[in-house]
Amino acid sequence: MFDNQSILITGGTGSFGQKYTKTILERYKPKRLIILSRDELKQYEMQQVFNDPCMRYFLGDVRDADRMMQAFNDVDYVIHAAAIKQVPAAEYNPMECIKTNIHGAENVIKAAIANKVKRVIALSTDKAANPINLYGATKLASDKLFVAGNNIVGDGETRFSAVRYGNVVGSRGSVVPFFKSLIKNGTDSLPITHPDMTRFWITLQDGVDFVLKNFSRMQGGEIFVPKIPSVRITDLAEACAPGLKQEIVGIRPGEKMHEIMCPGDDSHHTIEFDDHFVITPSITFFGKEHDYSTNNLGEVGQLVEQGFEYHSGNNPNFLSIEQIRKLDEA
């Protein structure tokens, strides 16, 4: 699918973008692989690692509609990974979060339609399901924009979908590097927000592979949700530092006890497949009929029961302390 094609990643210097770049270069022969981000230092550092002849590095911000129009010229596939992601940062800087996560999404959609991009996948988050913080609320708005993009495009060929998953093992700003930094500096305890807290857990490679496969699956308008394990925060701390004291510090602003990926209110739109769920659009696209129970790979799913909810607390798949440790080492 990606051989001799032009691929663009917004926010491409982040953890996901770098792993995606590595995977694409190992598996395919793209015509162009464009990294778009606003940080020249991160781009310089990434160029020292990824300097294949097909690579292009564009400085730009998704907030800048004109720059998006330029960057998307002659692009076939877009992965929209740019976002303000830190929950406390979004709470304290709400307008900045809205400008990037909502207005930026709008600019990506308009540029993709204008440049006749084939397919766009936007990275979402479990925090977009029944959001209680601004980051989640902006990503829910972004999800709605990308779903509606399939209607806005009219008779055009551009298709939009989203991928929603949980915490990424070892990604920048996540809890594992934070714990490791404290341990390296000789801390006598690890801060735990709440002893009952759980989170979904996915490796960066699994996240990249899931996005790649969904480019082949997508018809347009789906929110793809992988079936992934959960972890207990106390088990995660124990895996990082066996026997080290755990200090309860309280839930941070905007945090949930458990994260949701498929809300019960969306159960009548949720289809279960062998290794993932699909939340189908609540709106009907003018002139387009899709049977989302069978995707473009021929995989067949079934509508879940009314009221079904997929969250990190009721997940049948929890990682043990030893499994967490092995994942982290991998």
Side-chain angles (χ1 to χ4, degrees):
M1 171 180 276
F2 299 110
D3 287 341
N4 200 35
Q5 301 292 295
S6 292
I7 307 157
L8 183 145
I9 311 173
T10 71
T13 56
S15 301
F16 178 90
Q18 298 207 33
K19 179 64 76 171
Y20 200 96
T21 296
K22 182 175 185 294
T23 303
I24 287 287
L25 294 177
E26 287 174 349
R27 299 180 187 175
Y28 304 97
K29 297 186 182 301
K31 180 168 68 176
R32 288 186 304 160
L33 181 52
I34 304 164
I35 304 301
L36 188 146
S37 72
R38 62 184 183 180
D39 191 322
E40 60 180 326
L41 175 60
K42 289 178 184 175
Q43 286 201 9
Y44 170 77
E45 293 171 344
M46 189 171 174
Q47 285 179 50
Q48 311 314 303
V49 181
F50 301 106
N51 54 12
D52 188 276
C54 74
M55 296 293 298
R56 303 289 187 273
Y57 289 88
F58 286 11
L59 281 173
D61 195 320
V62 293
R63 300 181 185 189
D64 185 341
D66 289 341
R67 183 55 168 156
M68 291 305 100
M69 287 291 185
Q70 293 174 336
F72 282 33
N73 181 47
D74 198 29
V75 167
D76 299 296
Y77 299 98
V78 169
I79 303 95
H80 177 49
I84 289 179
K85 302 180 178 73
Q86 294 294 320
V87 170
E91 296 295 306
Y92 284 105
N93 303 274
M95 294 310 301
E96 297 305 302
C97 183
I98 290 168
K99 288 174 186 175
T100 296
N101 295 358
I102 297 179
H103 299 322
E106 182 183 5
N107 291 337
V108 166
I109 292 165
K110 289 180 177 178
I113 292 173
N115 284 282
K116 296 181 171 56
V117 172
K118 294 175 183 175
R119 296 180 185 178
V120 179
I121 287 184
L123 299 192
S124 184
T125 168
D126 46 15
K127 294 170 180 62
N130 293 353
I132 64 166
N133 54 57
L134 184 70
Y135 169 52
T138 59
K139 292 303 284 185
L140 174 60
S142 172
D143 290 352
K144 294 292 188 181
L145 284 167
F146 279 101
V147 169
N150 295 278
N151 206 38
I152 298 167
V153 71
D155 292 333
E157 295 300 316
T158 307
R159 296 291 177 265
F160 300 91
S161 292
V163 165
R164 176 184 292 171
Y165 53 67
N167 294 268
V168 177
V169 179
S171 63
R172 290 191 308 214
S174 67
V175 69
V176 171
F178 174 61
F179 279 172
K180 287 186 174 181
S181 175
L182 292 176
I183 295 164
K184 182 180 179 181
N185 291 324
T187 184
D188 59 359
S189 65
L190 290 180
I192 303 296
T193 50
H194 194 284
D196 297 328
M197 185 173 283
T198 65
R199 289 293 182 265
F200 286 109
W201 214 241
I202 188 171
T203 67
L204 199 51
Q205 188 64 63
D206 285 344
V208 166
D209 291 343
F210 187 62
V211 171
L212 278 170
K213 196 164 188 177
N214 289 329
F215 271 111
S216 297
R217 285 175 168 143
M218 64 182 283
Q219 301 176 67
E222 308 97 325
I223 298 175
F224 292 97
V225 176
K227 293 182 179 178
I228 55 178
S230 293
V231 298
R232 297 175 180 86
I233 298 303
T234 51
D235 288 348
L236 180 61
E238 180 66 19
C240 290
L244 190 64
K245 178 185 174 184
Q246 298 179 10
E247 180 184 359
I248 307 302
V249 297
I251 297 176
R252 299 183 302 171
E255 276 193 320
K256 291 180 181 178
M257 189 71 71
H258 309 289
E259 291 290 4
I260 301 171
M261 288 212 281
C262 298
D265 290 337
D266 277 335
S267 60
H268 58 299
H269 291 296
T270 302
I271 299 172
E272 182 175 8
F273 292 81
D274 286 345
D275 63 352
H276 70 286
F277 298 95
V278 165
I279 302 174
T280 64
S282 60
I283 60 174
T284 301
F285 303 136
F286 180 75
K288 299 184 180 79
E289 293 289 338
H290 296 307
D291 176 10
Y292 291 104
S293 64
T294 302
N295 62 32
N296 282 341
L297 291 180
E299 299 167 329
V300 179
Q302 297 289 332
L303 195 67
V304 301
E305 292 183 0
Q306 188 71 25
F308 169 82
E309 190 167 83
Y310 182 47
H311 71 70
S312 60
N314 72 2
N315 190 358
N317 183 9
F318 267 85
L319 295 178
S320 67
I321 293 173
E322 184 59 29
Q323 287 173 320
I324 295 171
R325 190 174 291 127
K326 288 181 179 179
L327 257 184
D328 180 48
E329 291 171 356

